[in-house]
Amino acid sequence: MTHIRKAVFPVAGMGTRFLPATKSIPKEMLTLVDRPLIQYAVDEAREAGIEEFIFVSAAGKGALEDYFDTAAALETRLQAAGKADALAALEPTRMPEGALTILRQAQPLGLGHAVRQAKRLIGNEPFAVILPDDVIKGERGALAQMVDAHRDIGGHMVATMDVPLAETHMYGILDVKKEAGALAYARGLVEKPRPDLAPSTKAVIGRYILDSAIMDRLDALCPGAGGELQLTDAINADVKSVGVTGYLFEGQRFDCGSVQGYVQATASFALSRADLRDAYAAFVDQRSRPLRLVA
């Protein structure tokens, strides 16, 4: 199978659930501890062997491009001050020349529409799609796990996790034909079904490996739910011709597109840091104790 070299990052969303912060800051630049969400996504892609990074962006998102640019003045000052640790912290923010492409999604017409913007750059290669809102914490990145599995089976692959039956209406859900270890071979996907109509509890989350045939499907696709081009509809159209597989990844997923998920992720990542863990845990423990009134 072809090596997965390219990844599309749909980053045009407005992040209205995080207003007023996202009035001037792209939601992908919100930080978990000391790294923005987009950095976690890019780091995961790099671990999986991605070489070309395609951001499908929008007006007002210039901070994303600046973040991965060279900060010559800052680096000169840090070097002159002998701040080697600070310089090292900047290393992951650098991109090789030509590795990052910024595309504009002029109208918010859905995830499928965003992915379609990259058609010319994708060509005939399979590619990954990463939603930075979904942060996955684990010993090994979810996309790297998927790339290994995809090498043997090809087709379209979506990251999946089991969710409570009562929550199926919040996700795209796989209609599973058969399972084999971490793989779930699908008859199709059902978008946000009611619990009593859900074909399984295997939810699709923000990691995809897609055959390039998806672009032709997206070209021919009519607007679906909300008047948008739904990536799920295009994947469903390829079930028989290309094949669709769910991959049950190892790791903990945080929905950082929601304030609750973002706060939970911040706590989890802070508790995983040796330099922060003890002080943070002590602070949380202290704040959770009942307040004592002094007579």
Side-chain angles (χ1 to χ4, degrees):
M1 290 294 174
T2 305
H3 172 58
I4 310 298
R5 303 187 309 113
K6 302 175 181 179
V8 176
F9 298 76
V11 292
M14 296 176 63
T16 53
R17 285 184 284 183
F18 283 89
L19 287 171
T22 48
K23 177 183 178 182
S24 60
I25 300 171
K27 65 175 180 177
E28 297 82 9
M29 290 300 295
L30 297 173
T31 57
L32 289 182
V33 187
D34 55 4
R35 284 191 294 164
L37 297 177
I38 191 63
Q39 183 71 67
Y40 289 90
V42 166
D43 288 347
E44 184 179 330
R46 283 171 169 157
E47 181 192 3
I50 298 299
E51 301 165 6
E52 296 185 31
F53 304 79
I54 304 166
F55 286 10
V56 182
S57 189
K61 297 264 188 164
L64 287 167
E65 185 174 355
D66 291 344
Y67 178 79
F68 288 104
D69 200 355
T70 300
L74 173 61
E75 292 178 20
T76 298
R77 289 186 179 183
L78 293 174
Q79 190 169 11
K83 295 186 177 181
D85 289 346
L87 277 169
L90 292 178
E91 187 61 34
T93 72
R94 299 190 182 97
M95 286 277 192
E97 289 187 7
L100 176 62
T101 302
I102 308 290
L103 302 176
R104 282 288 185 93
Q105 184 183 15
Q107 296 177 288
L109 297 179
L111 179 57
H113 182 261
V115 171
R116 194 177 69 176
Q117 305 309 303
K119 180 178 180 179
R120 180 178 57 83
L121 296 175
I122 293 301
N124 295 319
E125 299 181 40
F127 63 101
V129 177
I130 302 179
L131 307 188
D133 283 359
D134 279 330
V135 175
I136 301 174
K137 180 184 176 188
E139 292 186 9
R140 189 162 183 248
L143 187 61
Q145 298 173 45
M146 293 174 66
V147 165
D148 284 351
H150 185 269
R151 192 175 292 118
D152 295 328
I153 61 175
H156 299 324
M157 178 176 285
V158 297
T160 60
M161 67 178 191
D162 282 307
V163 299
L165 183 61
E167 296 180 7
T168 56
H169 68 286
M170 301 165 59
Y171 300 91
I173 300 294
L174 283 184
D175 183 356
V176 178
K177 180 168 53 178
K178 68 174 182 177
E179 296 184 51
L183 299 176
Y185 296 89
R187 298 185 188 89
L189 291 81
V190 181
E191 189 64 27
K192 299 180 179 179
R194 289 183 352 220
D196 59 315
L197 298 177
S200 77
T201 57
K202 288 199 162 26
V204 177
I205 64 106
R207 302 291 185 275
Y208 307 78
I209 297 177
L210 301 173
D211 187 274
S212 60
I214 199 73
M215 293 300 186
D216 292 333
R217 290 293 187 186
L218 290 169
D219 281 342
L221 200 64
C222 294
E228 299 180 341
L229 292 183
Q230 300 293 341
L231 184 59
T232 298
D233 292 342
I235 293 173
N236 261 333
D238 275 341
V239 167
K240 293 183 179 179
S241 58
V242 176
V244 179
T245 310
Y247 184 83
L248 190 64
F249 61 89
E250 295 182 4
Q252 184 177 10
R253 174 254 189 179
F254 296 95
D255 176 12
C256 290
S258 71
V259 175
Q260 179 174 323
Y262 175 76
V263 171
Q264 290 172 346
T266 300
S268 180
F269 278 85
L271 289 169
S272 297
R273 286 267 297 261
D275 58 331
L276 300 175
R277 182 187 306 117
D278 292 344
Y280 184 81
F283 172 78
V284 172
D285 179 64
Q286 182 183 33
R287 298 296 296 178
S288 64
R289 295 175 186 172
L291 183 65
R292 291 185 178 181
L293 300 178
V294 178

